[in-house]
Amino acid sequence: MKILLLGSGGREHALAWKISKSSQLEKLYVAPGNAGTSEIAENIAMDINNFEAVGNFCVQKQVNVVVVGPEQPLVNGIHDFFESSPKLSKVTVIGPKKEGAIIEGSKDFSKSFMKRHRIPTAKSKSFKNHQIQEALVYLEQKDSPYVLKADGLASGKGVVIENDLQKAKKALKRLLSGQFGAASETVVIEDFLDGVELSVFIITDGKNYKILPEAKDYKRIGENNTGLNTGGMGAISPVPFANREFIDKVENQVIIPTVKGLKKEGIEYSGFIFFGLISVKGDPYVIEYNCRLGDPETEVIMPRLKSDILELFDGIATNTLSERDVEIDLRSVSTVMMVSGGYPEKYEKGKEVTIDKLDPKTLVFHAGTNIKNNKTVTSGGRVIAVTSYGKNLETALKGSYSSIEKVQFENNYYRKDIGKDVTTKS
Ligand code: AMP
Ligand code: GLY
């Protein structure tokens, strides 16, 4: 198989690493990729939201499968573009069409979808920009903390959680007056759920699905989950509280009704679904759907997937996913993200990255690097994810933390408490 993988983060390096291990792989291209992917694949400089360019490349190189890492090309309709072009309709796209990507692209849609299919989620109501007064009245009737969500994609900044009613009202007015343009023309106000978060992933051909390893990510910049939100500072898998009983609940109450619901509504969905969940006293509630894998969750999921991922992609291409096996490595895996000092606010780029010889149980996934004058340099906030295997989470984390010392770049920062909340016995 000839594969084109779209994206340039740690998620894509981890996917490229897994794809590159397949015996069925003929050639792997990554666009645009990073310094890490350039070691295992051919990087292609390309704007992944320019579908003509992506399509022309696939025709020229006879690509069989396009794997879409981030959500934007999916929400913009890359799968639809391929399907409607006679030269590209035979290329398998891993990721849904526009009508499926809407589960991530519109919170208003996803909330009403969950209500229609009785999928557990926080109680909510949506308001359009001409309903500011009604929205303020609704907010006043609610209890603190207040949860406000821009309907559309807002680069991870569209969720406001506010304890103070006056501040929440101000934030609501800002959102509905166009803080994120069209993305916040509609705002969802929802009840706050108090619990522990985790991410569950499936791959589906629209009829059948396979459950991938679950993960927990650490979103805040500061230790003990304090400070600003980031793309994700680390992840672990498995998640200790997600025992068999819990995952069975997720499957029966969330996964099955979601896959069936999509089918029932005539939405052909193929690719990954990422269920952002919160466990409230042992019961799962959906916080959000994503139409892609998570980052940095992929940096712990791919190492735990023993099966050949191209077998799963072939299962999607031929509608035979039900016949494919998903075998999971029983070891634990952790990843700790090394970021540029200053991130998620202002930070410098272009710092040289050096990596000494690593322990065999450790993998280094590049998240924000590129090559300049034959040197690997930082090119983003999140720079390197240091992933390790262990017989349990404690040993995996020990591996990640001892290997961090092998990775150097000026002014780096990482959280020292990844996984502590679930491994330290109180
Ligand atoms: P989202 O972009 O929907 O994932 O929301 C970002 C973060 O806000 C989530 O990861 C949660 O930590 C938090 N969050 C979102 N919705 C709720 C809710 N209803 N109750 C509590 N926390 C929430
Ligand atoms: N780690 C969360 C995300 O990828 O959205």
Side-chain angles (χ1 to χ4, degrees), residues 221 230-234 336-344 347-348 367 378 380-385 409-415:
I221 189 72
T230 69
M233 296 296 290
V336 178
M337 192 63 83
M338 299 178 73
V339 305
S340 304
Y343 172 80
Y347 58 86
E348 288 178 15
T378 65
R382 295 193 291 172
V383 178
I384 298 274
F409 58 91
E410 197 186 303
N411 205 15
N412 70 63
Y413 167 80
Y414 58 90
R415 268 179 65 167

Side-chain angles (χ1 to χ4, degrees), residues 175-186:
L175 284 167
L176 283 174
S177 347
Q179 183 180 7
F180 296 110
S184 63
E185 268 172 16
T186 301

Side-chain angles (χ1 to χ4, degrees), residues 153-169:
L153 297 181
S155 325
K157 297 193 174 72
V159 175
V160 176
I161 299 184
E162 186 56 75
N163 288 315
D164 179 74
L165 178 63
Q166 295 314 318
K167 285 188 185 159
K169 282 178 154 181

Side-chain angles (χ1 to χ4, degrees), residues 277-316:
L277 303 177
I278 192 157
S279 164
V280 181
K281 299 194 184 94
D283 284 321
Y285 288 79
V286 179
I287 288 210
E288 63 166 353
Y289 287 120
N290 294 303
C291 60
R292 53 171 172 89
L293 288 177
D295 192 350
E297 289 96 327
T298 309
E299 290 93 304
V300 292
I301 296 171
M302 285 303 127
R304 290 197 66 217
L305 181 64
K306 272 184 158 174
S307 321
D308 184 337
I309 196 165
L310 294 195
E311 278 282 327
L312 300 179
F313 293 165
D314 190 53
I316 287 190

